[in-house]
């Protein structure tokens, strides 16, 4: 019985690291985007309500606390509001927003390095989970496994972390991720494959610990 239980734990953790529990959301209707482009504030409010949480979760994968993530998410939507008129018709709104968020995070990281602050993309304290509602992908999992996955995620390099987060947690297509990052689909597939391997390796100590219980 114990062996069966341990195998179930391993399967659960591996599925989790591969993103079986995802943060899915539907694209907002083009009509809402068109209204927002015309300057209708209630339409932009709908956009914020639909994409605010996914954008915040994406940013939180790269910074160390909720306060900073919220600040960068706010900056993302300020820029989106300012530049919405330039949104191309053939580009999905969420793809555009994630692209802005990625740029905001990178700019913050560069500024942090200049200011000698510990808020870079490789800062281990980005694992902190005290804030509520920021990481819905961990809401149904116990704290130990969540910690193991977060540590494995933060150990990835920038390119792997971005493709893993967008593909697994936010269910973006390779084409959309390519539009966000500027990388070729071939590179994205390679990075995702390597990220999956590294994530599995990263949670291996947790699996061994649970198997021994």
């Amino acid at each position: 019985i114990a062996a069966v239980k341990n195998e179930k734990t391993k399967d659960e953790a591996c599925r989790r690291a591969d993103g079986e529990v995802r943060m899915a959301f539907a694209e907002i209707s083009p009509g809402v985007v068109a209204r927002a482009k015309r300057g209708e504030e209630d339409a932009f409010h709908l956009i914020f309500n639909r994409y605010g949480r996914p954008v915040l979760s994406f940013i939180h994968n790269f910074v160390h606390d909720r306060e900073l993530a919220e600040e960068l998410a706010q900056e993302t939507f300020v820029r989106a509001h300012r530049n919405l008129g330039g949104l191309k018709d053939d580009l999905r709104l969420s793809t555009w927003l994630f692209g802005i968020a990625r740029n905001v995070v990178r700019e913050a990281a560069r500024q942090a390095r200049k200011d000698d602050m510990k808020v870079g993309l490789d800062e281990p304290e980005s694992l902190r989970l005290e804030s509520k509602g920021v990481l819905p992908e961990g809401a149904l999992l116990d704290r130990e496994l969540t910690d193991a996955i977060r540590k494995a995620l933060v150990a990835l390099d920038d390119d792997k972390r971005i493709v893993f987060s967008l593909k697994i947690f936010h269910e973006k297509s390779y084409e959309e991720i390519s539009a966000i990052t500027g990388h070729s689909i071939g590179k994205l597939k390679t990075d995702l494959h390597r990220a999956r391997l590294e994530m599995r390796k990263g949670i291996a100590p947790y699996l061994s610990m649970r198997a021994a219980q």
Side-chain angles (χ1 to χ4, degrees):
I1 296 175
V4 173
K5 181 179 179 180
N6 289 335
E7 286 302 317
K8 289 178 66 177
T9 300
K10 290 181 181 180
D11 289 343
E12 175 192 16
C14 289
R15 289 196 304 267
R16 184 64 182 211
D18 274 348
E20 185 177 74
V21 179
R22 301 174 179 177
M23 188 177 185
F25 56 90
E27 288 288 337
I28 206 162
S29 70
V32 174
V33 178
R35 286 170 50 207
K37 283 184 174 183
R38 292 195 297 268
E40 297 184 25
E41 292 300 323
D42 63 326
F44 191 81
H45 187 68
L46 291 173
I47 291 173
F48 178 81
N49 286 342
R50 177 66 60 84
Y51 299 110
R53 188 176 177 184
V55 167
L56 179 60
S57 178
F58 173 72
I59 292 174
H60 194 265
N61 286 333
F62 297 91
V63 299
H64 78 296
D65 63 16
R66 181 178 182 177
E67 183 177 355
L68 179 58
E70 289 180 340
E71 179 182 334
L72 298 182
Q74 181 179 14
E75 175 62 19
T76 296
F77 281 96
V78 167
R79 295 188 188 186
H81 186 273
R82 184 188 308 137
N83 298 295
L84 189 60
L87 176 64
K88 297 179 181 179
D89 292 337
D90 59 347
L91 189 64
R92 294 176 68 182
L93 179 61
S94 63
T95 301
W96 184 66
L97 287 172
F98 280 122
I100 295 174
R102 172 178 175 266
N103 290 336
V104 168
V105 169
R106 287 193 163 182
E107 289 172 15
R110 284 196 296 268
Q111 185 61 47
R113 286 193 290 270
K114 291 179 181 179
D115 296 340
D116 197 27
M117 295 171 60
K118 297 181 180 180
V119 293
L121 296 179
D122 295 325
E123 174 55 47
E125 287 192 1
S126 61
L127 301 174
R128 293 189 299 180
L129 299 171
E130 297 88 348
S131 56
K132 297 180 180 179
V134 175
L135 297 172
E137 61 267 24
L140 302 179
L141 200 63
D142 65 74
R143 177 61 63 87
E144 290 180 350
L145 181 52
T146 299
D147 286 345
I149 292 173
R150 297 291 299 167
K151 288 177 181 178
L153 181 64
V154 82
L156 299 176
D157 64 41
D158 192 12
D159 287 349
K160 294 189 187 75
R161 194 182 310 141
I162 287 176
V163 68
F164 189 89
S165 177
L166 289 173
K167 183 67 175 175
I168 301 303
F169 296 145
H170 300 285
E171 298 186 304
K172 309 305 289 182
S173 69
Y174 284 116
E175 290 75 14
E176 290 171 313
I177 300 173
S178 179
I180 292 169
T181 63
H183 297 318
S184 69
I185 292 178
K187 171 178 168 52
L188 294 176
K189 289 182 176 180
T190 298
D191 284 346
L192 180 61
H193 174 70
R194 291 174 178 171
R196 288 179 185 273
L197 294 178
E198 291 179 27
M199 289 292 289
R200 287 177 177 270
K201 182 179 180 181
I203 66 173
Y206 168 85
L207 297 180
S208 299
M209 178 185 67
R210 289 296 295 267
Q213 292 179 353

